Amino acid sequence: MEDMIAKIVEMDKRARGLSDEATQSRMDYEKEITLAKDKIKNDYLERAKERIRINRQSEQKKADESLRRIEAENAGIIEKLEACDRENHDKWVEEIYTRIVSA
């Protein structure tokens, strides 16, 4: 009888040991999964930040080129207006004077 009780106690100890091992194993796997999930998330965020940096540089280049083109166009327009003023300044002053005096 004592032999059976000893066997039952031994089997209970083994069962508890297996249960503890399974619990520990589950906790270890959960930690591994959490670490893997965090690594994937961090890798994704780093790639996203790099894409943002590259896109920002690309868009800045486009904006700078567009600004230079617009500034060049404006400089051409200003030059044309100044040339027109140089050619017609005296005539316009005379016309304004004549209209004011004759009014």
Side-chain angles (χ1 to χ4, degrees), residues 23-75:
T23 301
Q24 185 62 42
S25 180
R26 188 192 75 210
M27 290 171 53
D28 290 343
Y29 285 134
E30 286 176 357
K31 285 180 186 176
E32 286 180 34
I33 290 169
T34 300
L35 291 173
K37 182 181 81 170
D38 289 345
K39 182 180 182 328
I40 290 168
K41 179 182 173 183
N42 289 336
D43 290 347
Y44 179 80
L45 288 174
E46 287 303 314
R47 286 193 314 269
K49 286 176 185 177
E50 181 63 16
R51 280 194 308 267
I52 289 169
R53 186 187 65 75
I54 290 169
N55 288 343
R56 182 177 289 136
Q57 288 176 345
S58 175
E59 291 302 315
Q60 186 63 48
K61 260 186 174 178
K62 288 178 186 177
D64 290 344
E65 289 172 9
S66 181
L67 178 62
R68 281 191 291 275
R69 183 180 45 78
I70 290 169
E71 286 175 341
E73 288 174 9
N74 287 345

Side-chain angles (χ1 to χ4, degrees), residues 80-96:
K80 287 179 183 178
L81 289 172
E82 288 175 348
C84 185
D85 179 56
R86 282 191 300 274
E87 289 177 16
N88 297 303
H89 180 78
D90 292 336
K91 182 172 79 172
W92 290 339
V93 169
E94 185 63 34
E95 179 70 25
I96 292 170

